[in-house]
Amino acid sequence: MATMLAGRLDLVTGKFGMEQVAIPEPGPGEVRIKVLAAGICLSDVHLIDGSLRLKPRPGFTTVTLGHEVAGVIEKLGEGTGTWWKPGQRVLLQAGQSCGACALCMTRTGCLRPLTRGVDYDGGWAEYALARQDTLIAVPDMLPIEQAAILPDAVSTPYAAIVDTAALRPAESVGIWGIGGLGAHGVQLVRAFGAAPIIAFDPLPEARERALALGADLALDPQQPDVREQVLHWTDGRGLDVALDLAGVAPVREQAQSVLAPRGRLVLVGLTPAPLSLSQGIGFCAAMQQVRGHYGSRLEHLPQLVKLTRLGRLDFSRSVSAVLPLADAPLGVERLMKKQGNPIRLVLQP
């Protein structure tokens, strides 16, 4: 039996490690991808450190992590469409619909699709399986390690900005948390005409990064004059859009305090804790809104590939380092400790 190296998480013990596992065979409508690049996401780190937990189920007690994946088609399963050929460069959607529940069958769109590297095996491996309808062709001029981070690292803030927030040109935007998602959020809102762009992060390195990527102002959220600074930069109005990428209560409270009339607070960072807002009367009187957000839709990834291919977006600065697949535990540790202030670390089998 041919085997491959994979980064596996034991859902019972919580232990993560590199293992030799069988190379998967593609089923009907599936393709096998030779992985060339796979991003390390903060959610992967949270799965490993136990702050996010997956429930084992019969026949599924370990999972290969990795939902930001790009590579080349290596083998086609039966019934695969003629538009895919071995050797084609592709990236993989971060998830897929189940294809069986009522939302899928009625084509209304699944709100919580199955996630690669969570609900089924992902791409921290030498090979990965993908359903043919979840593949996106990667143009030759797009480096494969940049293509790999488009799912999730870029598509999640993109969807939050263009869909959930419904950003309009010249609207003011605040972004809390300039990590992997926030760094891309700054670039995206600038590309779509936000003005001004205000970044919030307690780390000096993150604030410097926000300014380098296009923010007009970068503030330490712990400083006492944050509200005064925001009002000064927005001509006394406040923020039209506030993006919470941290998922913590202090961020929501601060964002609400600097929100403009009819402003939208978009919750991108996930938290299991109850959500609450102070100043309820003022919130309602100003007709402000809180909007929840999760992931992205299938059409967003082809849009991002097109925008990147035609030079409207450039994420060449986002790949902080490329590590061998065998060093996945080291990459997780580096991201966990923020060593080198990385935006994205990419694994390469």
Side-chain angles (χ1 to χ4, degrees):
M1 178 181 66
T3 63
M4 66 176 185
L5 186 65
R8 303 278 285 174
L9 177 66
D10 189 309
L11 305 184
V12 178
T13 65
K15 182 181 178 181
F16 171 76
M18 306 306 296
E19 301 178 11
Q20 288 289 330
V21 298
I23 296 176
E25 286 295 323
E30 291 183 331
V31 300
R32 185 165 70 201
I33 307 299
K34 180 177 175 56
V35 177
L36 298 181
I40 302 177
C41 177
L42 193 58
S43 60
D44 296 313
V45 174
H46 290 330
L47 288 169
I48 292 170
D49 68 20
S51 54
L52 289 177
R53 293 190 177 275
L54 303 178
K55 291 184 178 180
R57 56 186 189 270
F60 190 76
T61 58
T62 57
V63 63
T64 299
L65 297 180
H67 53 271
E68 299 177 353
V69 188
V72 297
I73 295 176
E74 193 262 346
K75 185 176 182 180
L76 303 174
E78 293 183 6
T80 309
T82 57
W83 52 88
W84 295 121
K85 306 289 184 184
Q88 280 184 278
R89 289 163 31 111
V90 293
L91 58 82
L92 283 56
Q93 294 276 4
Q96 64 188 32
S97 61
C98 69
C101 71
L103 289 174
C104 292
M105 301 304 288
T106 57
R107 300 178 182 272
T108 57
C110 186
L111 296 178
R112 202 295 192 185
L114 303 176
T115 302
R116 187 181 309 279
V118 174
D119 301 296
Y120 59 102
D121 284 340
W124 288 9
E126 295 178 74
Y127 297 91
L129 295 182
R131 218 167 61 191
Q132 63 174 343
D133 61 317
T134 66
L135 300 178
I136 307 294
V138 175
D140 291 338
M141 70 285 296
L142 179 58
I144 202 71
E145 66 273 9
Q146 291 181 41
I149 67 172
L150 292 181
D152 193 26
V154 181
S155 64
T156 292
Y158 176 84
I161 291 161
V162 301
D163 262 13
T164 307
L167 177 68
R168 295 182 288 270
E171 285 191 314
S172 55
V173 176
I175 301 177
W176 276 260
I178 313 301
L181 297 183
H184 296 127
V186 170
Q187 295 170 268
L188 290 165
V189 296
R190 186 175 180 90
F192 300 144
I197 303 166
I198 304 178
F200 302 83
D201 200 291
L203 298 177
E205 299 87 352
R207 296 197 297 273
E208 292 172 7
R209 177 166 63 199
L211 294 172
L213 293 173
D216 298 292
L217 180 67
L219 299 175
D220 182 343
Q222 299 172 345
Q223 293 302 308
D225 64 341
V226 166
R227 176 174 166 79
E228 289 74 15
Q229 291 259 39
V230 172
L231 293 179
H232 171 74
W233 275 78
T234 59
D235 300 319
R237 174 179 169 79
L239 297 171
D240 296 302
V241 173
L243 298 173
D244 170 17
L245 303 179
V248 295
V251 166
R252 293 191 294 274
E253 290 295 325
Q254 187 172 71
Q256 182 192 2
S257 73
V258 294
L259 207 58
R262 296 182 182 272
R264 290 93 71 197
L265 169 55
V266 179
L267 308 182
V268 184
L270 301 179
T271 173
L275 301 176
S276 63
L277 292 172
S278 60
Q279 305 299 325
I281 294 177
F283 185 83
C284 293
M287 300 183 69
Q288 296 165 335
Q289 299 178 25
V290 178
R291 301 180 181 182
H293 181 80
Y294 184 84
S296 61
R297 296 209 309 267
L298 295 179
E299 64 266 26
H300 291 142
L301 201 49
Q303 292 170 6
L304 283 167
V305 170
K306 180 179 180 180
L307 289 169
T308 307
R309 174 174 61 86
L310 295 176
R312 302 304 191 269
L313 297 171
D314 178 11
F315 301 110
S316 58
R317 291 176 288 180
S318 296
V319 179
S320 303
V322 177
L323 307 174
L325 174 62
D327 288 346
L330 174 62
V332 169
E333 182 181 3
R334 286 179 58 176
L335 186 58
M336 190 181 299
K337 296 180 178 178
K338 301 186 184 300
Q339 294 176 352
N341 191 26
I343 297 178
R344 261 304 183 267
L345 299 175
V346 173
L347 300 173
Q348 191 174 67

